[in-house]
Amino acid sequence: MTYRLLALTIDNAVLRSNGKISRQTKDAIDYVKSKGVYVTIATERPFPAAKKVAKSLKLDGYLISNNGAFVAEASDQPLFARRIQQEKAIHLVELLEQFNCHIRVFHESYAVGNRMNQKNHLIAKMTVGIGDPLFYPVHFVDTVSDQLLKDPFAPLKVQAEFTDDLEKERALRELKAAIPSITISSGEEGRIDIVNYSVSKGRALLRLAQHLGIGPEETVAIGASKADVEMVSQVGLGVAMGNGAKEVKEAAHWVTRTHDQNGVSYMVREVFRKQLRVQL
């Protein structure tokens, strides 16, 4: 099989545990691009953060961001955007505000978050992963729902970070019972992501592949988190990082090395070294 599209997740894959991209990974992406393969990013992060990583990898095409809710080359010209309705976003934020959590509501160009009375460690954790605040500003307000009523928009994603697991589970139960037509994913370290019910990185990748005239069987996807399970299971070659979640390893066709062992570059060399250049 000749593979024509490669999708990479950022966290725990492209980025090492120190938050940096290794020279081996950059060289591997240059190598696979020289084969004529289209390379994209598929991430939970907002678009400006994905764009920043893409720049480091010298990628200038479409990127999949916000858990698959936003696919674009530029923030003002999306190929695909699936948002949460304004009224529904206000409703779920009002519900979240009944719990002790930090809330972020994501637009493609900025986020709105609530000020917290806790120590700064929670704010620091939430800041990791959104990208450089100079490129993706976060506006902190006293009450997010009031801000959305004052300046409404349909967000791509709502995110909440909890310090108490029991509080998180109570919030999940109430959200699922009260608000239909949303997808809630529970991540590590007390974080939940909420998107439109039809949103996933897997669906966004298939949408992009179709736009590019590439079949699922011609696609390789590298995943690391539970959010990548669908993506790696529906392509021609689904690859899990060695440090990835158990669920994504079980769904993948192949498990590569860890992010600190340059698992992306190892996979690229193993899979693409015998492949001839793709004829576009």
Side-chain angles (χ1 to χ4, degrees), residues 44-48 65-72 75 78 80-85 89 92 104-110 136 153-159 183 193-197 199:
E44 295 92 331
R45 294 186 180 213
F47 181 76
S65 62
N66 289 285
N67 299 63
F70 196 74
V71 181
S75 61
F80 172 81
R82 184 74 68 185
R83 304 176 188 275
I84 303 171
Q85 294 177 346
L92 68 89
R104 291 268 173 94
V105 180
F106 290 83
H107 183 271
E108 56 264 34
S109 301
Y110 63 91
Y136 189 76
F153 67 93
L156 295 165
K157 179 170 72 170
V158 175
Q159 189 176 82
T183 295
D193 287 347
I194 306 166
V195 292
N196 186 289
Y197 77 97
V199 165

Side-chain angles (χ1 to χ4, degrees), residues 87-251:
E87 297 81 4
K88 189 173 293 185
I90 292 170
H91 185 191
L92 68 89
V93 167
E94 287 176 337
L95 195 155
L96 285 170
E97 286 172 342
Q98 299 175 27
F99 298 90
N100 186 27
C101 64
H102 181 62
I103 302 167
R104 291 268 173 94
V105 180
F106 290 83
H107 183 271
E108 56 264 34
S109 301
Y110 63 91
V112 177
N114 60 328
R115 296 188 181 96
M116 296 291 290
N117 295 323
Q118 296 173 313
K119 294 181 180 179
N120 290 333
H121 77 281
L122 183 58
I123 301 297
K125 282 170 59 182
M126 288 292 287
T127 302
V128 172
I130 67 165
D132 192 324
L134 293 176
F135 293 95
Y136 189 76
V138 180
H139 305 302
F140 291 104
V141 296
D142 292 325
T143 307
V144 175
S145 58
D146 287 348
Q147 180 64 28
L148 291 180
L149 288 168
K150 177 182 176 183
D151 186 15
F153 67 93
L156 295 165
K157 179 170 72 170
V158 175
Q159 189 176 82
E161 185 94 16
F162 297 81
T163 55
D164 184 280
D165 288 338
L166 292 177
E167 188 94 336
K168 173 186 169 184
E169 293 305 316
R170 285 203 306 118
L172 283 171
R173 287 194 299 269
E174 293 199 23
L175 283 167
K176 290 175 181 178
I179 306 175
S181 301
I182 56 173
T183 295
I184 306 174
S185 57
S186 182
E188 298 177 357
E189 298 183 342
R191 180 176 297 180
I192 63 172
D193 287 347
I194 306 166
V195 292
N196 186 289
Y197 77 97
S198 61
V199 165
S200 71
K201 290 202 281 185
R203 291 179 185 178
L205 179 57
L206 291 184
R207 180 79 175 261
L208 175 58
Q210 182 181 40
H211 176 75
L212 297 172
I214 297 172
E217 73 281 358
E218 300 174 293
T219 302
V220 179
I222 304 178
S225 71
K226 293 179 183 178
D228 299 321
V229 168
E230 181 186 66
M231 181 173 72
V232 302
S233 64
Q234 66 187 9
V235 296
L237 180 62
V239 180
M241 296 298 297
N243 54 291
K246 176 184 176 182
E247 292 84 351
V248 75
K249 289 180 180 179
E250 291 174 345

Side-chain angles (χ1 to χ4, degrees), residues 17-34:
S17 57
N18 62 5
K20 299 184 181 298
I21 304 174
S22 71
R23 170 49 57 189
Q24 290 93 327
T25 296
K26 291 181 179 180
D27 290 344
I29 300 308
D30 287 341
Y31 174 75
V32 77
K33 285 167 56 184
S34 74

Side-chain angles (χ1 to χ4, degrees), residues 53-67:
V53 173
K55 183 177 180 180
S56 297
L57 296 174
K58 300 178 182 177
L59 303 178
D60 54 7
Y62 290 102
L63 306 175
I64 299 167
S65 62
N66 289 285
N67 299 63

